[in-house]
Amino acid sequence: MENFEVNKVVLIGCGHVGMSYAFSLVNGASHVHELVLIDVNKQKAEGEALDLMHAACCSKYKTEIRFGDYNECNNADIVCIAAGRNQEKGETRNDLIGKNLEVFKSIIGEINKTKFAGIYLIATNPLDIMTYITMKLSGFPKERVIGSGTTLDTARLRCLIGEEVKVNYKNIHAYVIGEHGDSEMIPWSNATIGLNPINKYLSKTKMKSILNDVRTSAYKIIEKKGNTAYGIGMCLKNITEAIFENSNSIFTVSVFNEKYGVSIGQPAIICRNGVRKIEDLSLTAEEKMEFNNSVKAIKSVIKNLNV
Ligand code: NAD
């Protein structure tokens, strides 16, 4: 497709997460015209591309799909990285750092040889650490290195609250922020259902148990099926659409924040150039402490990184 208006995504890592994202794009992202699949396992990338092409033929949107190599990044608008190791039963996200740092060194080393000047979208865990590593290894400005952050956790939160209070999740204005990991937190003081503060619907005890359910949901799913994929696939697709539509939508993506010295999940406005603005947080003293604990948890890992 030779056209300057073509929107092109290169996906690196064709595993559960990567292919769930790719399938979501083909199904529902009208603004993605080209999708290129890359994996260290070339045969897998080729097989997935062939399979997905047939899905694309049944979609209402037209997406050109192929597998390829890193030269495809030259004119890509978005490079999404979902490559690397996944948690196994009982592992935390931070247990993946050593292996996934090596994976990212090899991938971003290859992309640095190309003319890629678009936006990085990161899915690999530990998410905030890998987002920070991408910024460091690529030398890209922070606005163009976006991690999925706590978008999935926010979706899980809305899902749980919606079930509890029997209100459509679209009317639940609540967010998870902080580390995409065990220290993530919910600023309940900002949360509303429709126009009402959330404490009109939920007791303190219920809020506590919902936070615990959000934090442990990945562990529960991995225990049963070995991975989580559909939720993050849709979140990545929604962020991709917001970029191509220049929609100025707010997502709790992971983006580097100078104030804290870490990449961390915070509400940010997403436009065609990446992150337009990180929203200021208005938190209670207790919530500030919880958020700072999350910052500290990420910092303690970053300080031992060799990037
Ligand atoms: P997976 O094992 O199914 O897929 C990983 C893929 O990466 C494989 O196809 C593998 O061949 C490929 N790969 C490995 N090294 C590579 C390299 N150097 N270059 C190119 N490709 C390479 O794993 P998955 O279940 O898809 O999970 C992928 C990552 O996403 C994990 O780190 C997982 O923890 C993370 N994840 C993140 C979220 C989130 O909310 N951000 C949610 C779920 C999973």
Side-chain angles (χ1 to χ4, degrees):
M1 259 190 213
E2 294 300 322
N3 183 336
F4 64 90
E5 283 181 358
V6 164
N7 291 329
K8 177 175 179 181
V9 174
V10 171
L11 166 66
I12 301 170
C14 302
H16 297 100
V17 170
M19 291 317 299
S20 172
Y21 168 55
F23 188 60
S24 304
L25 287 181
V26 165
N27 257 316
S30 56
H31 297 274
V32 178
H33 307 115
E34 281 188 46
L35 173 60
V36 181
L37 308 184
I38 299 178
D39 197 286
V40 70
N41 180 345
K42 289 195 171 126
Q43 199 176 314
K44 178 159 172 48
E46 183 176 1
E48 292 289 1
L50 289 170
D51 193 7
L52 199 60
M53 244 181 245
H54 301 153
C57 286
C58 305
S59 171
K60 117 174 158 192
Y61 305 113
K62 181 161 169 30
T63 315
E64 197 174 294
I65 294 157
R66 58 180 177 275
F67 71 102
D69 59 30
Y70 284 96
N71 284 330
E72 291 280 5
C73 297
N74 275 312
N75 62 347
D77 299 287
I78 295 177
V79 167
C80 175
I81 309 183
R85 254 202 66 203
N86 188 10
Q87 286 161 271
E88 287 176 10
K89 278 184 197 173
E91 271 188 320
T92 69
R93 294 176 178 97
N94 280 344
D95 291 331
L96 308 173
I97 292 168
K99 172 76 175 126
N100 287 348
L101 173 57
E102 289 316 308
V103 168
F104 269 48
K105 279 185 178 167
S106 84
I107 291 173
I108 294 164
E110 288 300 320
I111 299 174
N112 284 346
K113 292 181 203 159
T114 74
K115 294 189 183 116
F116 176 57
I119 295 168
Y120 275 105
L121 180 56
I122 307 302
T124 304
N125 277 320
L127 190 277
D128 303 287
I129 307 296
M130 302 319 296
T131 304
Y132 176 83
I133 285 171
T134 303
M135 189 183 73
K136 287 287 166 193
L137 295 178
S138 66
F140 271 37
K142 61 182 191 311
E143 294 78 12
R144 291 199 281 122
V145 184
I146 301 175
S148 60
T150 45
T151 53
L152 174 57
D153 317 77
T154 296
R156 286 171 176 157
L157 172 68
R158 290 177 185 181
C159 205
L160 287 165
I161 298 174
E163 275 173 20
E164 180 64 29
V165 302
K166 306 275 179 282
V167 172
N168 191 299
Y169 68 91
K170 287 180 187 152
N171 303 114
I172 294 163
H173 313 292
Y175 296 86
V176 179
I177 59 172
E179 178 197 20
H180 172 58
D182 300 338
S183 72
E184 65 193 9
M185 52 92 55
I186 301 166
W188 292 109
S189 67
N190 287 281
T192 63
I193 295 179
L195 288 178
N196 283 319
I198 205 146
N199 58 13
K200 279 204 171 174
Y201 292 82
L202 299 176
S203 67
K204 277 230 149 71
T205 315
K206 195 70 216 170
M207 290 180 197
K208 247 189 176 166
S209 93
I210 287 178
L211 171 60
N212 185 54
D213 286 350
V214 170
R215 279 183 181 158
T216 54
S217 53
Y219 293 106
K220 276 186 199 145
I221 298 167
I222 289 168
E223 179 79 28
K224 292 183 198 304
K225 61 166 272 202
N227 65 80
T228 70
Y230 302 126
I232 183 60
M234 287 295 281
C235 291
L236 293 166
K237 176 261 204 187
N238 288 344
I239 299 168
T240 301
E241 271 190 317
I243 292 170
F244 286 137
E245 286 173 0
N246 194 28
S247 73
N248 290 315
S249 301
I250 295 177
F251 291 92
T252 50
V253 287
S254 184
V255 55
F256 185 75
N257 189 327
E258 269 105 7
K259 186 169 161 194
Y260 306 111
V262 294
S263 302
I264 189 164
Q266 313 137 91
I269 302 173
I270 304 294
C271 68
R272 186 62 183 81
N273 296 323
V275 173
R276 185 161 72 72
K277 185 175 174 275
I278 298 172
E279 290 284 89
D280 283 334
L281 295 172
S282 153
L283 304 175
T284 64
E286 198 183 328
E287 287 166 351
K288 266 185 198 152
M289 210 172 67
E290 276 183 73
F291 186 76
N292 285 336
N293 284 340
S294 207
V295 170
K296 275 187 210 154
I298 300 172
K299 251 190 188 155
S300 69
V301 179
I302 282 180
K303 76 171 196 285
N304 296 317
L305 285 176
N306 182 18
V307 282

